[in-house]
Amino acid sequence: MSLASLSAEDAGDTPAASSRAGHAGAGDRRRRARLVLLALAGLLVVVALASLSIGAVGVTLGDYLHARLFGGEIPLRDRLVIEVIRLPRMVLGMLVGAGLAVAGAVMQGLFRNPLADPGLIGVSAGSSLGVAAFIVLGSTVLSPVSALLGFHAVPLAAFAGGLAATFCLYRLGQSQGQTSIATLLLAGIALSAIVFACVGVLIFMADDQQIRDLNFWQLGSLAGATWEKTLAAAPLILASLAGARLMAGGLNALFLGEAAAGHMGLDVERLKTAAIFCVAGAVGASVAVAGGIGFVGIVVPHLLRLLMGPDHRYLLPGCALLGASLLLVADTVARVLVAPAELPIGIVMALVGGPFFLWILLRRKGLIAGV
Amino acid sequence: MFHFRSDEKAATASAWTGDRNGLAVRGLGVTLGTRRILHDISLSARVGELTAIIGPNGSGKSTLLKAVTGEHAHDGEALLASVRVSPDNRRRLALMRGVLAQHTSVAFSLTVEEVVRLGVSVRGAHGPDAAMSVAEALEAVDLSGFAGRDYLKLSGGEQQRVQLARVLCQVGAPVGPQGPRWIFLDEPVSSLDIKHQLWVMRFVRDFAKRGGGVVAVMHDLNLTAMFADQVVALRQGRVHAAGTPQEVLTRALMSELYDCDVPVGEAPRDGSPFVLPHGARVSPGT
């Protein structure tokens, strides 16, 4: 209840209040944040249309739309390329990008540290163990589970793995309300090592086809996106996005630390639990369908904080929009760079995100040294 | 540990303090880890007054403030205006009182206005029970014109005043439709220059005079003497003395409390005590 009450306000948002507060303040930043959100929405539309039109096979989107909307002839091949290959891939890419970026922002708000990225500190690793277990054991030991849950089984397994990892990290990284990013990173290294050992055991047990599946999935790719995969990931990711938006006010209160947020009436424990579920849901589902795509969760929130400030009421929707756009761009680049073959998108994101992360480190060395 | 039903709790509180609006603490203890920090603390603080908590380092002042604001779990009883201080009542308490910690770290690069506005968000900016506006609060802490500044680039004293402004926004008026409001402060002025020490102390005393309640952990004995209506002295986790500044801030009591000779004089203007530690003897030890 306190979450809602903290997020419901938009205090002093009237022009009168803003002008009384001395002009140059946060009012301008909020106005700018709204403009940035609008621009990001526009960008996403453009990028989405581009990702539908661009690809190894030349299909004119205009012809397709015209044929579908007003009736007309279009080659079956073109129709299938759009509807069966590119459209699910576009939707999946948007979901994964939005999920990863928002999960990053939520995690950074929760840990009160702009460097906390689900990929860096081992949440994705936890999820990947769940997925690997299903790839290798799905038809044998875990077959009752897959029979019960159908195509939702893999995302849910990834969710469970991510959840376990996030709870561990929270226990390890948190002491007296402060998070040490050094502890988090070290805990992430240890968790990842444990996970890779377990994945190693699974690989040892796997047959050739399973090893190929594992390997390709680990690189991170939207290739092989189907409507089934998209539907499997969508509920978890959409629920996490909605949950994150409800937490915006609470995450804002956490700017001041857990004690002060508590004094302001926030149920901090409930917020933390909700945030952890949210991160695990978005990351787990993304990892399940798209493998290890790194740096989205750190690049997108960081850029947006520079553009619109850290207010989560704007930051989280912004992350969803920009994350979706970024992933679509990266995926389109991955598809056309070496067409007709394609690069795994995880490689593209690492090539872009890695240097970006180093740039953040150069700019803000104190972030690690200070805590 | 006591478990009362809520109506019994209320009755007990009023019987204990004679003031249903006050802060009533009885038999309160706090254990952190395996260490018992506070033992059997009983005290009452009234609205209309500034209650100062003093004592040497490690005597449990901050712990006491954290216990009565619900940050630390405690045994015994703490009631604020008959509302039990516990996590279950966090929302109700948030509307009744604001808390300023000794240090508040801000995680991201926020403007001063954004920090203060977080206080507004507790109560909302509109309606009969509206929060104090950001501009008013900044004026109250002598930071008008700072709204657009980057919080992280302010000095420590300025940051502390911004946080106080945030608390003031949360608290709103000294008396609201549901009764008096409270401010709890942990060493509010220790990082401030002398002008702003006086500025802030005057503001919070005025808040009390207008019908609110103020509880402040204080290090500066002279400011305590000047502004407090009631002084509670803690030593080794227990209440050592409580009363008016005249009663508590005596040379004998202060020397005992701080384990060091503390000469206390009488201010020529109004006869209130003052501490002038020139020539005081300090011996090593506890």
Side-chain angles (χ1 to χ4, degrees), chain B residues 159-215:
Chain B
Q159 290 187 345
Q160 185 70 348
R161 277 149 61 206
V162 173
Q163 293 297 341
L164 178 60
R166 193 232 336 138
V167 171
L168 294 178
C169 275
Q170 176 184 344
V171 171
V175 183
Q178 264 86 47
R181 308 258 174 77
W182 286 77
I183 306 180
F184 291 83
L185 308 155
D186 194 350
E187 292 189 30
V189 296
S190 45
S191 56
L192 305 189
D193 59 52
I194 187 158
K195 173 190 166 187
H196 291 108
Q197 288 188 335
L198 293 170
W199 180 291
V200 165
M201 289 312 295
R202 279 196 184 131
F203 183 89
V204 294
R205 183 184 58 185
D206 189 46
F207 181 89
K209 291 287 165 266
R210 290 188 291 145
V214 179
V215 176

Side-chain angles (χ1 to χ4, degrees), chain A residues 5-6 9 11-12 14 20-21 24-27 29-30 108 112-114 252 255-256 259 263-267 305 310, chain B residues 69 71 90-91 94 97 99 104-111 113-114 117-118 120-122 125 133 135 147-148 166 170:
Chain A
S5 49
L6 269 169
E9 48 63 44
T14 57
R20 257 185 286 125
R29 204 140 97 164
R30 283 204 304 275
Q108 287 143 26
R112 307 183 66 230
N113 196 307
N252 281 352
F255 284 146
L256 303 169
H263 292 320
M264 287 160 61
L266 181 77
D267 188 343
R305 278 194 205 96
Chain B
T69 53
E71 190 178 332
R90 66 170 70 77
R91 185 69 200 148
R97 57 102 181 92
V99 184
T104 310
S105 68
V106 170
F108 296 95
S109 167
L110 294 169
T111 63
E113 189 186 347
E114 283 167 333
R117 175 151 288 140
L118 289 171
V120 178
S121 69
V122 176
S133 79
R166 193 232 336 138
Q170 176 184 344

Side-chain angles (χ1 to χ4, degrees), chain A residues 131-141 199 201-218:
Chain A
V131 179
F134 255 90
I135 290 181
V136 178
L137 305 173
S139 55
T140 53
V141 185
V199 172
V201 171
L202 289 168
I203 289 176
F204 186 73
M205 297 162 63
D207 60 31
D208 283 354
Q209 180 55 41
Q210 288 167 342
I211 287 177
R212 253 188 72 81
D213 288 350
L214 264 177
N215 220 333
F216 196 64
W217 163 81
Q218 267 177 338

